[in-house]
């Protein structure tokens, strides 16, 4: 994986479209307690919060939501190149604002019962109301289900909508007193201390570890230490707080769909000019930001989309090798000549960043240094989160460091929808929004959208952040997880 620049940009909950996890506080439901102490000296051990729920739509902790990927499956699986592989769905068609799904009759829940369209409808309605999945399904309006067929109605056409159909399918309870949590995934819940292989899972591949020991943990801060001591076998460190905890364990870098970007206030007198936004985009030292600000845990973003997305495989990117010269020419064409009057006296840009994230502060400082080298008076203002969000809402900034987690359909709705979490400073009635809508409708190619995005420059993609998978040194890991499924290859792990 290429390494590129480091950026210290602020993480803002309003802008970071990421799931936030709280401490353990939700009722687990009816899960049998373990009847005896388990010898786990050679057992695969994963963290769990015993007072949180295994239901993916009720879970509030990172631990339990991660486990849901082992217990449940969606209508589809999203592969590492962000293409769809049918799972519970046998066939899918997307036409305009309608998504039709025919279900695979051979799939069953782990208790042997059929997976019905009513189960999909039940799960969809929960997902729409869940903090964990509502963003992913924001463009989905209605569902109708009958037998083994399901039809979704979209608010707006999106030819990539099928990528959103990996939300977990949970068996609909028989009545309100039924608290069971049943899915169709690789494993099923055995008791409060363990998961066991789902013998009805559709794959012919057998796991090397048939039982997973669950270790109760109350917070994520102790995760790295618990891997090092062997208390748990695996932990994912997403470094969202702007720090990396190093331990004597096996590690694997995993690129995430977390896009770090430079937001630009297009309502500012200078930034209202597309040439100025283009120039600033070209001046950003992306590789330096990845390498220095993010400790090389990231990849330069040449477009606003995840670089491994299959849709980009034939897209040709513009040459940025002469970016400084081109930026200077763009500024001059916008009326900012270096002549006798220093550009710094004319254009002063404030870059605001959340003051609690060292990575992002460093990113802002690298951006400021690059702009100053081009003659622009750029200053970094580090502010508390509440002040940061308030200033964005009031437009009291020129530039800001932001982050958003892209949905699996690569939706840019956070930027281009009125009230979107990353739409600060963007005119949502501008041409780039209509071009994007045409792209989703299939009327415009990915190449055309990317080319026009470079010209319009509504914001500047900087990089995609990486997280770190941590494994105990004794664990044999033949295949690691993927960006779309950290437990993709858990069947191959063993002691």
């Amino acid at each position: 994986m290429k390494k590129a620049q480091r950026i210290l940009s602020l993480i803002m909950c309003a802008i970071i479209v990421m799931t936030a996890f709280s401490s353990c506080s939700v009722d687990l439901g009816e899960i049998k307690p373990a009847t005896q102490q388990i010898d786990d000296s050679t057992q695969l051990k994963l963290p769990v919060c015993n007072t949180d729920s295994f239901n993916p739509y009720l879970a509030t902790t990172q631990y339990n939501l991660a486990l849901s990927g082992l217990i449940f499956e969606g209508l589809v699986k999203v592969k590492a190149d962000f293409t769809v592989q049918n799972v519970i769905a046998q066939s899918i068609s997307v036409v305009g604002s309608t998504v039709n799904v025919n279900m695979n009759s051979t799939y069953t829940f782990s208790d042997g019962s059929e997976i019905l369209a009513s189960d999909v409808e039940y799960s969809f309605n929960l997902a729409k109301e869940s903090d964990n999945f509502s963003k992913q399904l924001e463009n989905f309006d209605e569902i109708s289900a009958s037998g083994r067929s399901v039809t979704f109605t979209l608010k707006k056409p999106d030819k990539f909508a099928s990528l959103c159909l990996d939300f977990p399918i949970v068996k609909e309870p028989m009545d309100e007193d039924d608290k069971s949590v049943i899915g169709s995934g690789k494993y099923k819940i055995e008791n409060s201390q363990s998961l066991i292989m789902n013998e009805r899972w559709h794959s012919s591949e057998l796991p090397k570890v048939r039982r997973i020991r669950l270790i109760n943990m109350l917070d994520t801060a102790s995760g790295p230490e618990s891997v090092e001591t062997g208390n748990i076998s695996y932990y994912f460190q997403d470094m969202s707080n702007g720090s990396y905890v190093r331990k004597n364990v096996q590690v694997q870098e995993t690129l995430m769909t977390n896009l770090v970007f430079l937001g630009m206030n297009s309502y500012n007198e200078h930034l209202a000019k597309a040439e100025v936004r283009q120039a600033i985009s070209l001046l950003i030292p992306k590789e330096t930001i990845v390498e220095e600000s993010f400790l090389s845990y990231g990849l330069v973003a040449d477009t606003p989309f995840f670089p491994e997305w299959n849709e980009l495989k034939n897209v040709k990117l513009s040459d940025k090798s002469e970016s400084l010269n081109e930026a200077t020419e763009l500024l001059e064409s916008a009326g900012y000549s270096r002549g006798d009057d220093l550009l710094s006296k004319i254009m002063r840009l404030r870059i605001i960043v959340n003051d609690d994230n060292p990575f992002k502060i460093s990113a802002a400082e690298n951006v400021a240094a690059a702009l100053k080298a081009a003659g622009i008076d750029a200053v970094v203002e580090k502010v508390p989160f509440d002040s940061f969000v308030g200033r964005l809402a009031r437009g009291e900034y020129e530039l800001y460091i932001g982050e958003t987690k892209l949905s699996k359909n690569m939706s840019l709705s956070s930027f281009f929808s009125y009230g979107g979490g990353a739409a600060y400073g963007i005119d949502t009635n501008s041409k780039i929004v209509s071009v994007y809508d045409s792209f989703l409708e299939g009327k415009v190619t990915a190449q055309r959208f990317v080319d026009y995005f470079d010209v319009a420059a509504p914001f500047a993609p900087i990089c995609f952040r990486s997280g770190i998978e941590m494994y105990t040194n004794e664990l044999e890991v033949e295949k690691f997880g993927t960006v779309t499924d950290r437990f993709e290859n858990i069947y191959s792990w063993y002691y």
Side-chain angles (χ1 to χ4, degrees):
M1 180 189 310
K2 290 182 179 178
K3 302 282 185 183
Q5 330 153 357
R6 303 178 172 185
I7 323 170
L8 290 186
S9 326
L10 39 21
I11 270 188
M12 34 184 203
C13 300
I15 292 178
I16 302 185
V17 186
M18 299 169 59
T19 307
F21 300 100
S22 62
S23 59
C24 307
S25 60
V26 180
D27 180 22
L28 190 61
E30 269 188 2
I31 303 297
K32 295 184 297 182
T35 56
Q36 61 183 13
Q37 184 64 37
I38 301 173
D39 177 12
D40 63 1
S41 58
T42 60
Q43 228 176 358
L44 182 61
K45 292 162 285 185
L46 297 179
V48 69
C49 178
N50 276 348
T51 55
D52 191 12
S53 177
F54 279 126
N55 187 319
Y57 303 117
L58 301 178
T60 60
T61 61
Q62 179 183 6
Y63 296 142
N64 289 39
L65 190 59
L67 290 175
S68 70
L70 295 174
I71 303 169
F72 305 96
E73 294 178 300
L75 290 168
V76 304
K77 176 181 178 57
V78 179
K79 297 189 290 186
D81 63 351
F82 291 85
T83 55
V84 163
Q85 175 182 324
N86 290 339
V87 182
I88 295 173
Q90 185 169 31
S91 64
I92 300 175
S93 65
V94 180
V95 180
S97 298
T98 302
V99 181
N100 292 308
V101 178
N102 291 316
M103 297 167 59
N104 193 325
S105 61
T106 64
Y107 280 53
T108 65
F109 286 114
S110 59
D111 66 352
S113 60
E114 290 184 277
I115 302 177
L116 303 175
S118 57
D119 297 305
V120 176
E121 182 175 22
Y122 170 74
S123 301
F124 172 79
N125 290 330
L126 288 179
K128 287 283 288 180
E129 298 299 320
S130 168
D131 290 341
N132 298 332
F133 294 91
S134 57
K135 175 65 180 175
Q136 174 175 324
L137 296 173
E138 64 179 358
N139 190 39
F140 284 67
D141 191 16
E142 298 177 342
I143 182 175
S144 60
S146 176
R148 290 188 174 276
S149 297
V150 178
T151 298
F152 298 96
T153 302
L154 305 177
K155 297 174 184 177
K156 297 171 63 176
D158 179 5
K159 66 178 183 177
F160 307 110
S162 61
L163 288 162
C164 298
L165 298 181
D166 67 339
F167 61 91
I169 305 303
V170 179
K171 182 178 180 179
E172 183 177 14
M174 298 297 293
D175 53 58
E176 61 182 15
D177 295 324
D178 183 1
K179 303 297 183 183
S180 58
V181 183
I182 299 174
S184 61
K186 299 180 178 74
Y187 290 85
K188 60 183 179 180
I189 301 168
E190 183 178 36
N191 54 49
S192 60
Q193 291 185 10
S194 62
L195 302 179
I196 192 170
M197 179 189 75
N198 173 16
E199 67 278 4
R200 292 187 174 90
W201 195 52
H202 50 85
S203 175
S204 59
E205 180 184 7
L206 293 176
K208 294 187 176 180
V209 175
R210 301 198 178 195
R211 178 177 280 105
I212 297 175
R213 177 86 159 91
L214 301 179
I215 305 298
N216 184 42
M217 295 182 67
L218 298 180
D219 61 75
T220 57
S222 60
E225 291 78 7
S226 295
V227 176
E228 187 173 44
T229 60
N231 187 43
I232 58 176
S233 305
Y234 170 91
Y235 176 75
F236 184 76
Q237 185 180 172
D238 71 359
M239 298 186 284
S240 59
N241 62 353
S243 65
Y244 172 41
V245 179
R246 299 178 187 275
K247 294 294 177 182
N248 181 26
V249 297
Q250 298 183 77
V251 296
Q252 172 71 18
E253 179 182 354
T254 298
L255 193 64
M256 302 185 294
T257 57
N258 293 56
L259 173 63
V260 178
F261 63 92
L262 182 70
M264 296 186 270
N265 189 350
S266 66
Y267 300 102
N268 171 268
E269 61 174 319
H270 305 298
L271 297 173
K273 302 175 181 178
E275 296 91 343
V276 174
R277 299 196 302 273
Q278 290 177 48
I280 290 174
S281 297
L282 289 169
L283 290 170
I284 296 173
K286 297 182 180 181
E287 291 184 1
T288 300
I289 288 174
V290 171
E291 293 168 4
E292 295 180 0
S293 303
F294 288 99
L295 310 180
S296 291
Y297 291 117
L299 186 66
V300 165
D302 293 313
T303 79
F305 301 120
F306 192 72
E308 300 302 319
W309 189 24
N310 185 66
E311 190 71 15
L312 298 179
K313 65 181 181 181
N314 294 320
V315 171
K316 296 181 180 179
L317 302 175
S318 57
D319 182 10
K320 302 293 197 303
S321 59
E322 298 295 327
S323 57
L324 179 58
N325 291 337
E326 185 178 350
T328 300
E329 292 174 2
L330 284 166
L331 289 172
E332 290 179 351
S333 69
Y336 298 95
S337 174
R338 287 186 133 187
D340 295 331
D341 294 324
L342 292 177
L343 179 58
S344 60
K345 291 183 178 180
I346 302 172
M347 190 186 304
R348 184 177 189 274
L349 304 179
R350 296 165 296 175
I351 308 172
I352 64 172
V353 61
N354 195 352
D355 66 2
D356 69 355
N357 191 295
F359 287 177
K360 294 184 176 180
I361 292 172
S362 171
E365 291 171 344
N366 273 312
V367 171
L371 296 184
K372 287 179 180 178
I376 297 172
D377 181 16
V379 295
V380 176
E381 297 184 1
K382 297 170 281 187
V383 296
F385 176 74
D386 289 344
S387 175
F388 174 75
V389 174
R391 287 183 60 172
L392 287 175
R394 295 189 299 271
E396 297 174 357
Y397 68 97
E398 283 74 55
L399 306 170
Y400 72 93
I401 301 293
E403 179 178 333
T404 186
K405 184 176 180 64
L406 298 184
S407 299
K408 292 174 182 175
N409 64 336
M410 297 294 122
S411 172
L412 299 181
S413 62
S414 292
F415 297 99
F416 296 150
S417 297
Y418 179 77
Y424 296 104
I426 297 176
D427 180 2
T428 54
N429 293 314
S430 57
K431 184 178 177 181
I432 184 62
V433 178
S434 61
V435 173
Y436 177 65
D437 288 341
S438 296
F439 170 56
L440 296 183
E441 294 173 14
K443 298 177 180 178
V444 164
T445 64
Q447 183 71 64
R448 165 64 176 148
F449 173 76
V450 169
D451 289 344
Y452 189 72
F453 179 90
D454 286 345
V455 173
F459 62 93
I462 298 175
C463 70
F464 284 91
R465 287 199 304 109
S466 293
I468 300 296
E469 295 185 273
M470 310 179 77
Y471 308 83
T472 57
N473 289 324
E474 296 77 17
L475 184 65
E476 296 291 336
V477 182
E478 295 181 355
K479 296 180 181 179
F480 296 101
T482 68
V483 62
T484 58
D485 184 357
R486 295 172 197 160
F487 296 133
E488 165 87 21
N489 299 302
I490 197 171
Y491 262 26
S492 69
W493 303 359
Y494 68 96
Y495 280 99

